[in-house]
Amino acid sequence: MKLKNAYFYTLREDARDEDSISGNLLVKAGYIKKTSAGVYMMLPLGLAVQNKIENIIRRHMNETGAQEVKMPALIAAEYYEESGRMKGFGPSIFKLKDRNDKDMVLGPTHEELFAYAAKSMIKSYKNMPFNLYQFQTKFRDEPRARFGLVRVKEFVMKDAYSFDADEKGLHESYMKMFNAYKKSFDEMGINYRIVKADTGVMGGLLSEEFQAIAPLGEDTVIYCDDCDYSSNLEVAKTVRGEKHEKKDPLPMQEVETPHCESIEAVAKYLHIDMKDTVKALLMNVDGEFVVFFINGERELNESKVLKLLKASEISFADDALIATSNAVPGYCGPIGLNCKVVIDEEVLEMSNFCCGANKKGFHCINVNPSDIRYDVCGDIVNAKEGDLCPNCGKPLKFTKGIEVGNTFKLGTKYSKAMGLQYADVENKLQDVWMGSYGIGLGRTMAAIVEQNHDEKGIIWPENIAPYKYIILIMSSKDETQNKVANDLYDKLTDKGVEVILDDRDERPGVKFNDAELIGIPYRITVGKKAGEGIVEFKARTAEAAEELSIEELLKKIGVE
RNA sequence: CGGGAUAUAGCGCAGUUUGGUAGCGCGCUUGAAUGGGGUUCAAGAGGUCUCGGGUUCGAAUCCCGAUAUUCCGACCA
């Protein structure tokens, strides 16, 4: 690409409406351009990067024997009605009608269509296993688009689907994909961790996420340095590091706590430790009013709650729902409460604790587990700093991650829903075992930028960079420099080397800054010594440039 | 959806409180100088002040409504 006659621009100032480093840099460097909230254009440089990522993944997919296909994005709603996910996705699915008033959707993910495609292929156990994949645009009406390409409403995903006769086969197919994912992300130079995760709207038996480590990550990744344990916070088992001291129960007592509607205020007012308090959360679980009691220092983990109660939705209860019980917001306690009560298992270990008295302006102290009535007890809180590894008991570490890939053992959930069956050896009909595997391309691009940048701009890893080299002409009016640079450009291009020639009539400073902003790995500067056949070579990450003859340069690049 | 902020030239912003000729920086065009880190000088072009109503002699400015963007809380590649 020669910049003088190319679609190429950079911005001098930060984008006002970008809230992440990667989003800002990609916009500023002219890789992407926002058209509306959560929808971006991929400009030439952006598409070049996306293609790099795509090709790495494609190669590793093909190595496993998977076959590439392309499903439509416009899909009759009936497929999602059949699987029950029209409801599952709720408002996140883009719905529309065709001219005959037929309900259509823009596909948010494609399990249904792949199961439908598999039906044509699968008659008996002899037709499996196989694996299909695609690179395809997904549409999800996210409640809140943010962080540049990290959370958007339209994005390209590589999604793969495996089909096996039994669980053992699924496991083998799963491991193939899992390893291909590892190879792909390793090749891209991403710093990531693989964690156990919630299966969420996908359902199924197992979900593992590939989390790119980055401070702006939306997920909390928990891991242990002493063993290989790692997990998403949403499913990590809580193993408390600090045990509660068992004390002899004292008589329960009601105390006045005026204007103390938060547990912090109560603890402060009564001069007690937060860890000796129990707080209440008044929630709406699938329309039912449920009160949760957990240690005052903990946070409720909604994924665990949904799993424990086999429910599908949870939110804070509104006043009308609260009014169906005798709960007093701000002073809610488990004693005498006439609604469903769920407690965290930690509460049973506590003694002489403090909680709401269910009476405005009052809390109880010296409450003990024997004083309270509950319907369900389980692990319903988030692990936190100081907690221990469920595997080996060493202290856990916490970090933030961007989920760039996800693998699911779906089991027979979708084949059951879609009637995908096969005849086994005894000619009995059996459900097909499916797996599904996704990688977000734009999100991967964003994660790479989050992990590879400095104050000057992006620093692409070589495998991902849109171009590997950029040639800068220092003085655009100097004939010798122009000739040397153009000859070099032609030679490299002929050899298939990806190179940009900055032949614009700009000052050197502009060219240096742009080259650094767009993050090309290697810079070749053609300047004053061009007449002697000498140019400069500098890696984006190097401190200083080195002078090389053209011959030495070509040798270094490996074309001669 | 709940709550806060913003919308003025390609980009980033002032002007709105107190109504009275549409502004600044960067970028862009032309010319000149310069040519190794966003250079300098000179002359220019560019706006339906988000949209729709209203008040007023007069509205970017005041009032009402809509839309969009964005930030803080529940989903996912």
Side-chain angles (χ1 to χ4, degrees), chain A residues 405-436:
Chain A
N406 201 332
T407 52
F408 293 92
K409 278 189 186 175
L410 295 175
T412 57
K413 174 178 170 174
Y414 293 90
S415 40
K416 274 200 173 80
M418 308 291 293
L420 178 59
Q421 294 183 314
Y422 69 94
D424 67 11
V425 197
E426 292 162 12
N427 201 26
K428 278 194 192 126
L429 285 183
Q430 302 284 354
D431 294 320
V432 170
W433 291 70
M434 284 178 65
S436 90

Side-chain angles (χ1 to χ4, degrees), chain A residues 71-343:
Chain A
M71 294 291 170
L74 182 65
I75 304 168
E78 59 203 53
Y79 290 100
Y80 293 87
E81 301 284 4
E82 201 173 342
S83 67
R85 287 210 293 182
M86 210 61 192
K87 236 190 228 153
F89 277 106
S92 295
I93 197 162
F94 276 102
K95 302 174 192 73
L96 63 161
K97 283 178 188 292
D98 74 1
R99 62 201 305 155
N100 297 321
D101 216 31
K102 183 181 166 71
D103 290 317
M104 310 289 285
V105 306
L106 296 176
T109 170
H110 283 74
E111 279 73 15
E112 287 80 358
L113 283 199
F114 275 85
Y116 181 66
K119 269 184 165 180
S120 299
M121 173 68 200
I122 298 174
K123 306 284 189 286
S124 90
Y125 69 96
K126 293 177 187 167
N127 302 128
M128 291 177 281
F130 63 91
N131 184 314
L132 297 176
Y133 75 97
Q134 66 173 346
F135 291 91
Q136 224 263 6
T137 305
K138 308 293 183 201
F139 298 86
R140 293 183 192 175
D141 197 357
E142 293 286 343
R144 191 168 159 214
R146 60 178 157 178
F147 300 147
L149 295 180
V150 172
R151 181 172 292 278
V152 290
K153 297 195 179 208
E154 177 185 325
F155 60 97
V156 177
M157 189 202 284
K158 188 292 300 173
D159 45 328
Y161 304 83
S162 64
F163 300 87
D164 282 278
D166 52 29
E167 187 166 9
K168 184 166 164 286
L170 168 59
H171 182 71
E172 282 166 21
S173 296
Y174 182 90
M175 289 316 294
K176 267 192 202 170
M177 281 293 118
F178 188 81
N179 288 324
Y181 272 35
K182 282 207 276 195
K183 284 187 202 165
S184 299
F185 289 123
D186 286 344
E187 189 170 331
M188 294 178 212
I190 294 177
N191 171 21
Y192 65 95
R193 276 185 174 267
I194 300 166
V195 303
K196 295 262 188 306
D198 191 26
T199 50
V201 69
M202 304 292 291
L205 313 171
L206 169 71
S207 165
E208 290 176 285
E209 296 171 339
F210 289 71
Q211 293 277 359
I213 303 307
L216 77 50
E218 298 178 285
D219 292 303
T220 300
V221 172
I222 298 178
Y223 63 97
C224 174
D225 271 339
D226 292 281
C227 70
D228 63 355
Y229 177 80
S230 61
S231 176
N232 192 313
L233 178 67
E234 62 187 9
V235 294
K237 183 161 170 49
T238 305
V239 179
R240 292 186 312 281
E242 211 178 317
K243 298 283 181 224
H244 289 282
E245 199 185 321
K246 262 285 183 239
K247 291 180 212 143
D248 292 332
L250 298 169
M252 184 167 75
Q253 201 183 333
E254 220 170 67
V255 291
E256 195 163 0
T257 52
H259 311 298
C260 291
E261 306 212 343
S262 73
I263 200 70
E264 288 87 355
V266 174
K268 204 168 166 193
Y269 183 80
L270 296 176
H271 302 290
I272 52 176
D273 210 319
M274 286 274 284
K275 74 173 196 294
D276 294 322
T277 64
V278 166
K279 68 181 171 189
L281 291 138
L282 285 49
M283 309 299 286
N284 174 344
V285 180
D286 288 345
E288 184 188 6
F289 182 59
V290 183
V291 180
F292 295 87
F293 290 99
I294 63 176
N295 184 278
E297 286 187 323
R298 294 280 173 177
E299 286 172 1
L300 187 70
N301 179 313
E302 300 188 356
S303 297
K304 289 183 184 176
V305 168
L306 292 179
K307 201 165 281 177
L308 183 68
L309 301 182
K310 297 188 171 48
S312 62
E313 258 179 78
I314 182 166
S315 60
F316 287 109
D318 57 23
D319 294 343
L321 196 60
I322 293 171
T324 62
S325 75
N326 62 352
V328 183
Y331 302 93
C332 182
I335 295 141
L337 197 57
N338 64 355
C339 64
K340 186 164 181 174
V341 173
V342 179
I343 64 166

